[in-house]
Amino acid sequence: MKKVLFATENESKAKRFKDYLLKNGIEMITINDIENKIEIEENGKDAIENALIKARAYAKSLDLPAFAMDDNLYIEGIPSDKQPGMYVRRVNGKRLTDEEMIEYYSSLAHNYGKNGKLTCRWVYGIAVINNNIESTYTWSKEDFYIVDKPSDKINPGYPLNTISINKKLNKYFTDITEEDTKEIKEDESDVIEFLCNNL
């Protein structure tokens, strides 16, 4: 079975791909499974560039196929200097904790949203390095709302779920059940196919 590294420490993010890759004969490990972690400056201009920076660093360090993922958040109706883009967790040069993220983004919804609600969209970039060949893919998800009134639950690693509402279900992401997930599950088979074809 082929072994690959997903250059992330976010186990919630890793779960998203692990089982699908395993079904395709690919064993995925993460940065949490290795000893030599690398300090990486993610200074790309977009999600794809940052994903490439991470994947290149780990593919070279471990001599394993590696992939990395980054995402950009775009929010309608806020000033351009407040647009998070790649820097969702880093605001004014400071890395925010989960709690600080909830506070910061809920205040944006309060200050700029209509009825305390802002329309948002995630845009993703993924990069694979395999035998020195680089492949990239980008996609986006459906619009959702960030609101000024938090849910009483926090998903570790995904703090914005506490203040994000699914438009179809009109439910906080933290309140979405397994049944709901089946109903609204976005098809990411294209992403899995890209990974399987390039790893």
Side-chain angles (χ1 to χ4, degrees):
M1 184 173 288
K2 177 178 269 193
K3 184 183 276 192
V4 302
L5 175 85
F6 183 8
T8 186
E9 294 179 80
N10 186 328
E11 289 300 326
S12 298
K13 207 178 261 189
K15 279 182 194 166
R16 187 165 163 181
F17 301 116
K18 194 164 195 164
D19 289 342
Y20 290 111
L21 291 177
L22 206 54
K23 284 177 192 167
N24 287 278
I26 300 169
E27 179 193 350
M28 186 191 84
I29 61 171
T30 70
I31 293 172
N32 299 326
D33 300 313
I34 62 173
E35 288 179 20
N36 301 329
K37 294 181 183 171
I38 306 170
E39 277 298 316
I40 297 172
E41 188 182 351
E42 296 177 37
N43 55 4
K45 72 177 190 304
D46 56 28
I48 286 287
E49 279 198 9
N50 271 350
L52 275 167
I53 288 166
K54 289 184 279 193
R56 282 173 184 149
Y58 275 102
K60 187 177 176 184
S61 165
L62 295 173
D63 195 27
L64 266 182
F67 72 98
M69 181 176 153
D70 207 349
D71 39 46
N72 292 185
L73 178 63
Y74 295 99
I75 304 176
E76 291 179 13
I78 66 171
S80 58
D81 65 330
K82 303 246 183 243
Q83 198 62 250
M86 290 186 304
Y87 303 104
V88 179
R89 198 176 272 274
R90 186 166 293 279
V91 175
N92 299 323
K94 181 184 182 226
R95 184 176 165 79
L96 303 184
T97 64
D98 284 5
E99 291 74 19
E100 288 169 336
M101 282 182 73
I102 292 165
E103 186 180 335
Y104 176 75
Y105 286 99
S106 62
S107 72
L108 284 183
H110 181 76
N111 294 331
Y112 299 104
K114 188 175 179 184
N115 301 319
K117 211 160 40 173
L118 290 165
T119 298
C120 311
R121 173 176 285 244
W122 287 103
V123 177
Y124 296 91
I126 202 162
V128 171
I129 312 288
N130 188 7
N131 293 322
N132 296 317
I133 296 168
E134 299 183 353
S135 310
T136 61
Y137 189 71
T138 188
W139 75 102
S140 63
K141 284 202 159 190
E142 290 182 359
D143 290 354
F144 64 97
Y145 296 121
I146 279 181
V147 296
D148 61 355
K149 292 181 177 60
S151 152
D152 55 2
K153 298 174 194 156
I154 295 179
N155 293 144
Y158 288 99
L160 291 186
N161 284 0
T162 298
I163 52 170
S164 297
I165 288 181
N166 179 280
K167 279 185 167 185
K168 283 182 187 165
L169 300 173
N170 196 30
K171 269 187 178 183
Y172 285 103
F173 284 20
T174 52
D175 293 333
I176 290 174
T177 64
E178 278 189 39
E179 279 304 308
D180 292 334
T181 303
K182 288 174 191 161
E183 186 183 326
I184 58 158
K185 185 165 178 57
E186 292 188 50
D187 182 11
E188 288 189 333
S189 57
D190 55 333
V191 184
I192 302 300
E193 186 179 347
F194 164 78
L195 286 170
C196 292
N197 287 343
N198 290 284
L199 283 168

